[in-house]
Amino acid sequence: MLFKVSKVLGVFALGFLLFLVLPTNSKAESNDEGSTPIYLSDEQKDSLKNLGFSEEEIDSMTEEEYEAFANIDGELTGESTEFFQVTEQEDGQVDIIPVTEEQATQGLFHDKVMRATKTEKTSWMSLTLTSSKLSNGNTLLKNSFKWLKNPNVGLKDVLAITHSTSAVKVSGTDKFVYKYTDGTGTHTKGAISSTPSQAGWAKKFDLKAIGTNASPTNHNGYLSYQVKKGNKNDINANAYGHYTHVTIGLTGTITISTGQISVGGNIKKSNANVPMITFKY
């Protein structure tokens, strides 16, 4: 399912490297379990949509996932989606080009009827950033990714959200989920490290390249957490969605600042538009 494109845009860097090391302030969350969707009523589904969940995310939601949001009431206040063409050249350079939903759809169709050339490999993905005003006064930020066509390289990727430093993260509210499907069904994995900072949160995870009985497909996931204003005079703040796809380069560390994630080391990277929203406290 393709997402609706918002007119609100931001700018960020997608970094590419062989191994990505993140400073971590919490224990690893990685797991790999079969996923059994929970039955949800129409009322429960509507509540989740107000928290930024798509119909596809809701349809594959497990009981454990739902429990993390079951007692949260909110109203969707912002949404921005960007589509990307991800092209890997023979020399390892990866080009990230922002495209429209129509271009992504046409590209996917073309890839199905035409074989990839010998000089490049192309994938397609989308990022959707949302904000929801919660009944407890906080704001829920959520960044979702979906590979519309399987990536050519699967190593260690990073999903992140950055925001104005006036927004203060609420401890214990972060939730990360990564899912993929292989020959035995749909699987759910957690992050292998977590990096919070004053300006955002990043989660590193293993992007599966090998599945059981079939190659992994339908790679998707999300990061969400609550924020609140740090000063009573604050009115609004900006939030940005980020995704780092790992291919080649030197080991580096993540530095998080508002609207930007920088990866240390001599790496190849490409600039592209990313989702950005402004939310009110």
Side-chain angles (χ1 to χ4, degrees):
M1 176 182 297
L2 296 180
F3 298 96
K4 181 179 179 182
V5 180
S6 167
K7 296 182 180 179
V8 187
L9 304 178
V11 177
F12 83 145
L14 289 177
F16 301 91
L17 63 164
L18 179 60
F19 294 106
L20 179 60
V21 178
L22 292 172
T24 176
N25 293 335
S26 64
K27 64 180 181 180
E29 308 165 16
S30 183
N31 53 40
D32 195 343
E33 302 175 352
S35 299
T36 302
I38 185 176
Y39 171 80
L40 298 171
S41 67
D42 290 342
E43 182 179 359
Q44 290 171 321
K45 291 180 179 180
D46 288 341
S47 178
L48 290 170
K49 289 178 182 178
N50 270 315
L51 298 180
F53 287 91
S54 67
E55 290 186 6
E56 185 174 6
E57 289 173 324
I58 293 172
D59 289 342
S60 66
M61 183 168 286
T62 64
E63 182 176 1
E64 180 183 358
E65 278 184 84
Y66 177 71
E67 288 301 319
F69 301 95
N71 298 317
I72 302 177
D73 295 320
E75 178 182 359
L76 188 66
T77 57
E79 180 173 2
S80 176
T81 298
E82 287 295 332
F83 294 88
F84 304 98
Q85 176 182 327
V86 184
T87 302
E88 180 186 341
Q89 308 293 345
E90 279 191 334
D91 64 357
Q93 174 67 44
V94 178
D95 299 320
I96 305 298
I97 302 174
V99 297
T100 65
E101 180 179 8
E102 181 180 5
Q103 288 173 321
T105 302
Q106 292 175 347
L108 286 167
F109 176 76
H110 179 269
D111 290 347
K112 288 181 180 180
V113 298
M114 298 291 290
R115 297 181 64 181
T117 67
K118 295 182 179 180
T119 57
E120 64 179 34
K121 298 178 180 180
T122 300
S123 300
W124 307 83
M125 69 172 299
S126 66
L127 284 178
T128 297
L129 180 69
T130 62
S131 64
S132 299
K133 184 65 176 178
L134 306 182
S135 59
N136 63 7
N138 297 339
T139 295
L140 179 71
L141 300 178
K142 178 174 173 286
N143 186 24
S144 299
F145 75 91
K146 180 175 177 61
W147 283 93
L148 308 175
K149 178 186 175 184
N150 287 345
N152 295 295
V153 177
L155 290 172
K156 289 175 171 42
D157 285 12
V158 175
L159 184 67
I161 299 173
T162 66
H163 49 76
S164 305
T165 54
S166 64
V168 178
K169 294 186 298 299
V170 179
S171 178
T173 62
D174 58 305
K175 178 71 175 179
F176 172 84
V177 170
Y178 161 52
K179 294 180 181 179
Y180 69 93
T181 303
D182 63 10
T184 61
T186 300
H187 302 266
T188 299
K189 288 177 66 67
I192 60 176
S193 67
S194 179
T195 303
S197 82
Q198 185 179 4
W201 218 318
K203 300 282 185 175
K204 183 172 70 171
F205 66 100
D206 284 320
L207 186 68
K208 292 287 289 188
I210 300 176
T212 303
N213 298 332
S215 298
T217 60
N218 194 29
H219 301 273
N220 67 93
Y222 62 86
L223 164 64
S224 69
Y225 58 89
Q226 297 180 32
V227 296
K228 60 184 179 181
K229 62 180 179 181
N231 188 300
K232 65 179 182 180
N233 296 321
D234 293 333
I235 299 175
N236 53 44
N238 294 332
Y240 305 82
H242 305 269
Y243 189 99
T244 301
H245 180 48
V246 178
T247 55
I248 63 172
L250 299 179
T251 299
T253 57
I254 284 289
T255 301
I256 300 174
S257 58
T258 301
Q260 182 178 353
I261 291 184
S262 300
V263 181
N266 183 20
I267 62 171
K268 296 184 176 181
K269 58 185 178 181
S270 177
N271 296 329
N273 290 339
V274 293
M276 186 276 273
I277 54 179
T278 298
F279 61 93
K280 293 183 178 180
Y281 290 114

